[in-house]
Amino acid sequence: LMSEPMAAIRPFTDEDLEACVAICAANHPEHISLPEIDEYREFLTKKPYEPAPYYVVEVEGELVACGGVATSGSSMHLCWGLVHPDWHNRGLGTKLVEHRLAWAKDQPELEAAELCTSQKTVAFYERFGFETIEFTPDGFAPGLHRHDMECPL
């Protein structure tokens, strides 16, 4: 088992755009469908999540992961959590989810966290208490099923 890297989490800036899109693209086709790469670039450009934060994770100055939150009413949505495949299974995704859930717990109006993901990462999110509330076969792409998940804060 590789040791957990020294990772710094900080808010996204526009200078991070290309590095984040590269992380997204690196997850194609295993976790990301082609149309999602353009959707993600648009998401980072238009920032529909604001004023909630979008974060990047750096290891020794290199961007290796990113993920944000968006809020709607009393819910927080984990959005676009991505880890570069070279850095999968090193604890960075866990760190990023914990960081975002901690942010949400500091917002008194928020009562639940939600997300949508594929079958490939359902077990990962279940470790944090998320449960599938809706399942859509081929919801992202053929063979990439969509799980809508929720967990109380």
Side-chain angles (χ1 to χ4, degrees):
L1 187 68
M2 293 174 148
S3 65
E4 193 171 292
M6 284 296 298
I9 298 179
R10 63 167 175 80
F12 169 86
T13 68
D14 289 336
E15 289 74 56
D16 300 323
L17 177 73
E18 293 307 326
C20 287
V21 171
I23 291 169
C24 182
N27 277 284
H28 170 78
E30 184 69 20
H31 296 279
I32 296 286
S33 69
L34 265 182
E36 287 181 291
I37 299 170
D38 288 335
E39 285 171 32
Y40 179 60
R41 178 183 292 278
E42 186 173 327
F43 168 85
L44 290 179
T45 305
K46 295 192 172 161
K47 302 181 176 65
Y49 54 86
E50 287 186 330
Y54 193 79
Y55 296 108
V56 296
V57 181
E58 283 181 322
V59 175
E60 293 171 3
E62 182 191 357
L63 242 62
V64 296
C66 38
V69 289
T71 59
S72 174
S74 62
S75 293
M76 175 269 260
H77 189 85
L78 288 181
C79 49
W80 288 108
L82 299 159
V83 177
H84 192 285
D86 293 350
W87 291 87
H88 284 178
N89 304 310
R90 301 274 298 275
L92 296 177
T94 298
K95 222 173 224 164
L96 196 51
V97 171
E98 287 170 346
H99 191 81
R100 295 183 286 166
L101 290 174
W103 177 88
K105 286 174 180 162
D106 282 343
Q107 318 301 315
E109 73 279 9
L110 298 180
E111 294 165 16
E114 54 189 39
L115 60 92
C116 59
T117 193
S118 79
Q119 75 273 17
K120 297 176 185 238
T121 48
V122 165
F124 169 77
Y125 287 109
E126 285 175 343
R127 297 196 332 236
F128 302 95
F130 283 89
E131 292 177 8
T132 298
I133 51 169
E134 193 176 336
F135 172 72
T136 312
D138 303 321
F140 291 114
L144 219 48
H145 311 310
R146 178 178 168 138
H147 286 255
D148 289 86
M149 303 184 79
E150 200 173 87
C151 122
L153 286 170

